[in-house]
Amino acid sequence: MTRSVIVLGAGMVGVSTALHLQARGHDVLLLDRKAPGRETSYGNAGLIQREAVEPYPLPREPADLLQHAFGLNAAVSYHWRALPSLLPRLAAYWYHSSPKRHARISRDWSTLIAHATSEHAEWIVSAGAQDLVKESGFRLAFRHAQSYAKGVAKARHYHDTYGVRFEALDSDALSAAEPALQQRFAGGVHWVDPWAVNDPGELVARYAALYQRRGGRLVSGDASTLRQTSHGWQVITAEGPQQASDVVVALGPWADDLIRPLGYHLPLFVKRGYHRHYQVERQLEMAVLCADDGVMLAPMSAGLRITTGAELALRDAPPSPVQLAMAEKVAARALALGAPLEATPWIGARPCTTDMKPVIGAAARHPGLWFNFGHAHQGFTLGPASGRLLADLFDSQTPFIKAEPFAPARFGA
Ligand SMILES: Cc1cc2nc3c(=O)[nH]c(=O)nc-3n(C[C@H](O)[C@H](O)[C@H](O)COP(=O)(O)OP(=O)(O)OC[C@H]3O[C@@H](n4cnc5c(N)ncnc54)[C@H](O)[C@@H]3O)c2cc1C
C-alpha cells in the first residue's frame, strides 16, 4: 500500500532512503536545511569501501591505547575536556571492541557491507555519475616492515573469511604503481574491490537530482519542527507545513538532537574528522592510506584531499588544528605536497554507535517513526544498502539481509 513519508536529512543515507522508498511507489518528501550532500557526505574520503568488512574497534592493546591517549598518532586524538561526558560511550565502545564481541559484530556488519558497490552501481549509471567514480580500489602504504607484514596478514584474513580481493605490493612494486610517492614505504596492500569517488558531495547531489527527475519532492526546512499529529507527522518547510503518515530520521550526526526529546536515548557519539585540499606536482593514481598514521590521501577533482582519522570531541566544539597539522606532515613526507587550496580546513562528524553498527528500522514507541543513522566511518558506502533495508522493513517485506542486528530495539525500548 502506498504511504506518504518524510525523509529528514539529505546526506548519502537520506537521499538513498528516499530513492528506495520512491522506487516502491511511496509518496516521498525529502527535507534538509541545506542542499543535498553538503555535510558529512560531502567531506569524506569518497571511498565506497567494499573491503571494510569489519567495523573499526577501539584499540585494546596497551601500547596502542597509550599512543592514542597522548596524541602520538594522527589516527585518533582527544579533546581532554570532553572526556568526562564521552567516557560512558567510550567505555561501551571499548566493551564491544573485545575480540569475541567484535567478531560477532563483524559477522553482522559484513552482511551489509557485502552490498556496498552493487547497491551504488545502478544509481551511478541512472544518475549519469560515471565521471565521478573510478572502480580502481585504493592502497594502503606501510612505513615499517612489521606493520606491512601485519597489514598483509589482515588482508589475507579478510580475503579468506569474506572473499574481498587484495594484492600485496613490496616496496618496489608500490613505488612503481604510485610514482607520485617520494617516500620509500616498506610495502603496500591494494584493495581491489572498493570504488573511489572524486567529489563525494556531487555524487549525493546527482542521486538527489535522480530522485527529483523521478518525481520526488525536495524541500528546505528544519527537522526540529517535526511534530506528531493525529494523522501521523508534520514538519514545517519553506513551502509551508507538510504532513505524512511516516517519517524517517536520516540526520547523521544530528539524529540525537531529534530523537532524544522523543524519549530515545541511544548510545550515539561522534568521531570528528578534517579534510583540506592541496596542490600536488603529480597526482596519485588512486587514494593511498598512510596506514601507520591513519592519514588518507585522496585524489579529488578539487585537488589532493587529505583526510584525518578520528577526533573524540563534542560535535559542536570549536575545531582544533592538531590532527590535520600532523596529517600534513605525514603527507609532505609521502609526496611533493603543494599549498593548501582553502583558507581553513573542513570539519565534520562521523555519526557513531557504541556497538559500531548503524541503527536501521522502526522506532519502538511511535507509530510511523523510522531510524536510519549511525553509519560511522562508512555511511557514504552504506547509504544505498541501508536505504534498501529500511525500505524492506517499511513495506513489511522479508528484508534482503537479516535486520535484527541493526534494529533500534537492540538497545532496549
Ligand atoms: C574525514 C572523514 C572521512 C570519511 N571517509 C569515508 C569514506 O571514504 N567512505 C565512507 O563510506 N564513509 C566515510 N566517512 C563517513 C561518512 O562520511 C558518513 O558516515 C556519512 O556521510 C554519513 O551520512 P549521513 O547521510 O548519515 O549524514 P550527513 O551526510 O551528515 O547528512 C545528514 C543531513 O542532515 C541534515 N540536517 C541535520 N540537521 C538538520 C535539521 N535540523 N534540519 C534539516 N536538516 C538537517 C544535514 O544538513 C545533512 O545534510 C568519512 C567521514 C569523515 C568525517
Side-chain angles (χ1 to χ4, degrees):
M1 192 184 66
T2 299
R3 278 154 44 208
S4 56
V5 51
I6 300 167
V7 177
L8 300 174
M12 181 56 93
V13 175
V15 171
S16 300
T17 305
L19 271 165
H20 272 295
L21 290 169
Q22 176 189 56
R24 288 152 199 243
H26 299 294
D27 177 16
V28 187
L29 179 80
L30 177 61
L31 175 141
D32 203 298
R33 58 188 172 195
K34 293 191 170 179
R38 298 319 292 168
E39 289 285 1
T40 333
S41 299
Y42 159 79
N44 53 67
L47 294 171
I48 300 178
Q49 288 190 261
R50 176 62 189 92
E51 92 301 341
V53 286
E54 297 189 352
Y56 302 137
L58 198 64
R60 290 172 66 96
E61 299 287 326
D64 289 346
L65 271 176
L66 277 177
Q67 271 220 333
H68 290 144
F70 291 105
L72 301 173
N73 187 310
V76 181
S77 78
Y78 296 86
H79 274 194
W80 288 100
R81 261 188 266 156
L83 276 188
S85 43
L86 289 176
L87 220 51
R89 297 283 183 266
L90 293 182
Y93 182 18
W94 193 78
Y95 170 84
H96 288 295
S97 298
S98 78
K100 210 168 132 194
R101 292 187 191 93
H102 182 252
R104 201 169 46 230
I105 288 165
S106 296
R107 276 198 295 280
D108 296 332
W109 167 270
S110 64
T111 62
L112 191 58
I113 208 106
H115 301 273
T117 47
S118 53
E119 284 296 313
H120 274 275
E122 189 233 306
W123 290 348
I124 289 170
V125 176
S126 311
Q130 295 95 325
D131 58 314
L132 305 176
V133 185
K134 233 170 125 178
E135 298 183 11
S136 57
F138 73 98
R139 297 190 172 105
L140 316 183
F142 299 91
R143 272 193 282 135
H144 310 293
Q146 208 187 0
S147 54
Y148 172 48
K150 258 174 118 172
V152 173
K154 188 170 174 180
R156 194 160 291 131
H157 165 67
Y158 279 10
H159 171 264
D160 296 346
T161 312
Y162 305 101
V164 287
R165 296 171 302 156
F166 75 102
E167 190 188 343
L169 303 164
D170 64 17
S171 185
D172 288 343
L174 179 59
S175 295
E178 281 295 355
L181 290 178
Q182 63 189 13
Q183 186 177 3
R184 197 76 189 157
F185 285 92
V189 164
H190 179 183
W191 288 116
V192 181
D193 298 315
W195 295 352
V197 178
N198 65 24
D199 187 344
E202 177 60 18
L203 184 65
V204 181
R206 300 245 189 121
Y207 286 178
L210 173 67
Y211 156 80
Q212 287 183 285
R213 273 203 305 282
R214 290 176 174 176
R217 287 179 301 151
L218 171 67
V219 291
S220 174
D222 185 344
S224 68
T225 60
L226 183 73
R227 298 283 172 271
Q228 194 171 19
T229 66
S230 49
H231 302 300
W233 298 90
Q234 176 187 284
V235 74
I236 308 298
T237 76
E239 295 166 20
Q242 302 287 332
Q243 326 273 343
S245 62
D246 293 78
V247 62
V248 183
V249 181
L251 294 168
W254 293 274
D256 211 25
D257 297 354
L258 193 96
I259 64 167
R260 196 161 275 268
L262 294 171
Y264 296 92
H265 296 262
L266 303 188
L268 308 176
F269 67 106
V270 300
K271 293 185 192 170
R272 303 201 309 178
Y274 299 82
H275 88 224
R276 204 172 192 182
H277 295 103
Y278 297 78
Q279 282 175 343
V280 277
E281 268 171 33
R282 181 169 191 166
Q283 192 53 281
L284 291 165
E285 296 298 311
M286 62 182 71
V288 171
L289 176 70
C290 298
D292 302 276
D293 302 288
V295 173
M296 181 67 85
L297 311 175
M300 294 279 165
S301 54
L304 181 76
R305 182 178 284 191
I306 301 182
T307 67
T308 67
E311 182 182 60
L312 293 161
L314 298 180
R315 185 191 65 202
D316 300 329
S320 41
V322 192
Q323 229 184 354
L324 191 67
M326 239 189 273
E328 249 180 44
K329 283 194 189 134
V330 171
R333 219 169 37 218
L335 43 66
L337 191 67
L341 295 169
E342 297 97 6
T344 51
W346 174 88
I347 178 171
R350 301 171 181 92
C352 300
T353 61
T354 55
D355 71 357
M356 293 164 263
K357 292 180 294 183
V359 182
I360 306 168
R365 290 185 305 276
H366 292 77
L369 177 63
W370 300 84
F371 295 159
N372 197 357
F373 49 76
H375 295 76
H377 293 259
Q378 272 90 32
F380 185 69
T381 299
L382 288 175
S386 300
R388 180 168 168 194
L389 180 57
L390 192 288
D392 283 347
L393 296 169
F394 193 88
D395 281 351
S396 305
Q397 281 178 358
T398 307
F400 81 117
I401 58 166
K402 250 172 76 181
E404 292 78 21
F406 306 101
R410 71 187 190 270
F411 297 117

